[in-house]
Amino acid sequence: MTRLKLILCILGVTLCFPVVMAQVSLGSGSSKANEFTVVSSKANARLFFDEHDFEVVKKVADLFSNDVRMITGKAIQVGTTKDKLASNSIIVGTLGHNELINKLVAKNKLDVSSLKNRWESYLIEIVCNPLPGVGKALVVVGSDRRGTAYGLFSISEAMGISPWYWWADAPVVKRQELSLKVDRIIAKEPTVKYRGIFINDEDWGLLRWAKRTFEKERGNIGPKTYAKVCELLLRLKANYLCPAMHEASTAFNKISENKLVADSFAIVMGSVHCEPLLFNNASEWDKKTMGEWDYVNNKATLNKVLRQRVTENSPFENVYTLALRGLHDKAMGGSNNMKERVKMLGAALRDQRQLLVDVIKRPADEIPQAFTPYKEVLDVYSAGLDLPEDVTIIWPDDNYGYMKRLSSPREQKRSGRAGVYYHVSYLATSCAREHIHHAAQAVGDADDRQALHTERDDLQIIRVDVQQMIAEQMCAVAEHQTDQCDDAHAAHECLVDAVIILCTEILAGEADGGLIERVHRNVHKPLNVGGCRVARNRYCTEAVDRGLNEYV
């Protein structure tokens, strides 16, 4: 697929998804063929899904019903395809997994041919007199399970439900009656295949909030918190999560329910540059029982532990990180000779790939894998590491918001393509920019454009720290990335950035439209982001930061 494969970030989410909202809008309540009544004084629509469809479809159906309740005060009834249909029926299902949709296709009342073999696409259409007893059906069909969810949530947004309704208390306009105007929609595939976040430095925000406020019964970040994170990601049309991994919080995979929650929202799980094969070595590696985290002298134990993790998690959808770094975020010990380090890392990655093949029982090139040449690993990669062609390379920035490198012409031809790991903030003992990096979104926008237009990568990860100012920055990014796309790209694939506001200090009114507009205006003008002409020096960045302080 010719699209970015993975984008990963730590408090924000950068999405590359076709903009189709304009084709669903609030209606006037008329009886026109392209208008559908959801709630009226006479009757309410009902929603139907197939009980054999994916779990996420059932979950999103209930969430949609609640969205209608937040607007009108009335939740529409949700039933299965076995129940009696209503005059106004909303039929939601994944291609090939809904018997009512299959009937409509068989009767030539619905054409779903454009969805076949597509990734995360969806169709929305009003069908008149589709089935006995049904006057109109609002049909939502996904090419896969996430496509179905994205389609229904796109209607929620058109009705006025912000993805931030819970995290940021985004206000909902109340209506006594609710109708929709719908022109047939076929959403294109997203530009970026895997789009998501890495929750990092949770010690200072998310962990304390979950422990003291939201998930006190567990005293940590657990399934209740991750359910809210996953719902937000899905509403934002993201699909990928690297969970919190500091020693202070309980490792994601130590709580078995976490995997089930993520999968129920159809979220793909991954891990970052220092966590091989979904294993959090910062808190899951026990030196007392496992010995040293040392590939050279303790390889058998390392591989045994990694095999067990893959065995436990393989039933779910994952992107497996190939990695060999030290505990947490340190360099792996061993020889200082670069040739020896290249040899050691190459051997470790081969072991990990073979382990995946042995456990999952599929060819290596059919198992999603990623490799992030972060910090010292970039030197090892550049010194001649032989990385299999099908592995996605996730290029990191330099921790300060500037990409260190992108794929060479040869690397752009790799079947695994490439991705981006980007810091919108950075925290370290000797250098932290949690509260001073106001221009990060401007620099990131220009770098992200360069990656999109030269790489066509497959994965993007935004490194997220739960800080109020970063949240405000990313809200500004959302607006100007939507507005500033070039004409050729804007029609279908504008970047849409958003941020998970996970910090207890954030108040609903602090991210109001006026603030966003002022931040946008004052970042855009001095850095001229729209033309990708960003002044790449610290003095300019600091000057812009000072100018923005009065607004942020």
Side-chain angles (χ1 to χ4, degrees), residues 204-427:
W204 324 118
L206 181 61
L207 174 60
R208 296 185 183 189
W209 171 78
K211 180 179 180 178
R212 301 172 182 175
T213 306
F214 189 62
E215 208 158 358
K216 291 191 288 186
E217 67 278 7
R218 190 173 293 274
N220 216 299
I221 302 171
K224 186 178 176 182
T225 303
Y226 277 117
K228 289 297 184 181
V229 172
C230 290
E231 180 192 340
L232 178 59
L233 290 176
L234 199 63
R235 285 181 181 270
L236 289 169
K237 297 184 176 65
N239 61 6
Y240 185 79
L241 174 64
C242 292
M245 46 76 71
H246 278 201
E247 297 93 328
S249 60
T250 303
F252 180 87
N253 287 297
K254 278 190 174 181
I255 303 174
S256 59
E257 300 97 310
N258 285 341
K259 296 190 291 289
L260 299 174
V261 165
D263 188 65
S264 73
F265 283 96
I267 296 299
V268 182
M269 292 307 300
S271 57
V272 289
H273 51 81
C274 53
E275 301 177 283
L277 305 186
L278 308 176
F279 183 76
N280 179 352
N281 63 20
S283 61
E284 293 189 274
W285 183 262
D286 184 358
K287 288 185 179 181
K288 294 181 179 179
T289 60
M290 300 175 181
E292 292 295 323
W293 178 261
D294 183 341
Y295 178 76
V296 174
N297 300 305
N298 197 15
K299 178 170 66 173
T301 304
L302 263 69
N303 286 339
K304 178 182 178 181
V305 170
L306 296 181
R307 177 181 291 272
Q308 181 62 30
R309 175 50 39 80
V310 174
T311 300
E312 295 169 350
N313 289 52
S314 59
F316 306 99
E317 195 173 0
N318 307 295
V319 173
Y320 294 93
T321 295
L322 303 181
L324 185 66
R325 300 194 67 214
L327 292 175
H328 197 155
D329 194 7
K330 299 177 182 177
M332 174 60 82
S335 173
N336 291 324
N337 181 279
M338 184 55 73
K339 289 184 178 181
E340 290 299 317
R341 296 187 74 83
V342 170
K343 182 179 178 181
M344 178 179 69
L345 181 56
L349 300 192
R350 285 192 295 273
D351 282 351
Q352 292 171 22
R353 278 172 64 82
Q354 188 58 52
L355 188 156
L356 290 171
V357 171
D358 293 344
V359 174
I360 300 176
K361 307 299 184 185
R362 289 166 52 194
D365 59 3
E366 295 181 7
I367 302 171
Q369 298 158 68
F371 170 78
T372 305
Y374 183 61
K375 292 184 176 178
E376 80 287 345
V377 181
L378 180 57
D379 295 331
V380 179
Y381 173 78
S382 300
L385 178 69
D386 183 18
L387 188 68
E389 287 287 305
D390 57 276
V391 177
T392 300
I393 302 174
I394 306 177
W395 299 114
D397 69 338
D398 64 353
N399 299 331
Y400 293 91
Y402 301 100
M403 296 305 299
K404 300 189 75 170
R405 62 162 291 188
L406 295 172
S407 297
S408 66
R410 182 190 65 79
E411 288 164 336
Q412 290 181 38
K413 297 177 182 179
R414 299 175 67 258
S415 61
R417 311 300 291 178
V420 175
Y421 172 82
Y422 192 81
H423 295 72
V424 293
S425 65
Y426 183 70
L427 177 66

Side-chain angles (χ1 to χ4, degrees), residues 17-244:
F17 209 91
V19 178
V20 296
M21 285 287 295
Q23 292 173 278
V24 177
S25 58
L26 291 174
S28 61
S30 74
S31 59
K32 292 180 179 179
N34 67 341
E35 290 221 6
F36 183 87
T37 300
V38 181
V39 172
S40 73
S41 58
K42 296 180 180 179
N44 299 337
R46 293 183 62 190
L47 189 153
F48 300 90
F49 65 88
D50 195 307
E51 60 186 354
H52 300 297
D53 209 331
F54 297 97
E55 180 64 27
V56 67
V57 177
K58 306 170 189 177
K59 189 176 290 291
V60 171
D62 287 333
L63 288 168
F64 181 85
S65 175
N66 188 60
D67 291 347
V68 174
R69 183 195 60 78
M70 286 192 286
I71 297 170
T72 66
K74 304 173 184 177
I76 61 173
Q77 293 183 1
V78 176
T80 73
T81 52
K82 301 296 184 183
D83 296 328
K84 182 180 180 180
L85 300 179
S87 178
N88 271 20
S89 293
I90 303 173
I91 302 173
V92 180
T94 309
L95 191 64
H97 294 267
N98 184 294
E99 63 173 326
L100 294 180
I101 293 173
N102 292 344
K103 288 181 180 179
L104 295 178
V105 172
K107 293 181 178 181
N108 294 319
K109 293 192 174 185
L110 187 68
D111 181 5
V112 297
S113 58
S114 59
L115 292 180
K116 293 179 179 178
N117 301 316
R118 298 283 291 275
W119 175 266
E120 296 178 349
S121 298
Y122 57 86
L123 177 152
I124 302 175
E125 183 176 355
I126 292 177
V127 181
C128 295
N129 301 313
L131 296 163
V134 181
K136 283 184 181 178
L138 176 58
V139 183
V140 181
V141 189
S143 63
D144 52 30
R145 61 178 183 160
R146 278 186 296 276
T148 307
Y150 294 158
L152 196 54
F153 275 151
S154 72
I155 298 175
S156 289
E157 286 194 72
M159 295 189 308
I161 300 295
S162 166
W164 304 101
Y165 79 94
W166 192 86
W167 284 103
D169 290 330
V172 177
V173 176
K174 306 297 183 182
R175 302 179 186 278
Q176 289 186 337
E177 297 190 344
L178 180 62
S179 64
L180 297 169
K181 178 182 178 183
V182 180
D183 296 317
R184 176 181 165 89
I185 297 166
I186 301 175
K188 291 190 174 182
E189 293 180 300
T191 305
V192 180
K193 184 172 183 179
Y194 297 106
R195 312 163 303 282
I197 65 168
F198 165 32
I199 300 175
N200 196 219
D201 297 328
E202 68 275 11
D203 323 36
W204 324 118
L206 181 61
L207 174 60
R208 296 185 183 189
W209 171 78
K211 180 179 180 178
R212 301 172 182 175
T213 306
F214 189 62
E215 208 158 358
K216 291 191 288 186
E217 67 278 7
R218 190 173 293 274
N220 216 299
I221 302 171
K224 186 178 176 182
T225 303
Y226 277 117
K228 289 297 184 181
V229 172
C230 290
E231 180 192 340
L232 178 59
L233 290 176
L234 199 63
R235 285 181 181 270
L236 289 169
K237 297 184 176 65
N239 61 6
Y240 185 79
L241 174 64
C242 292

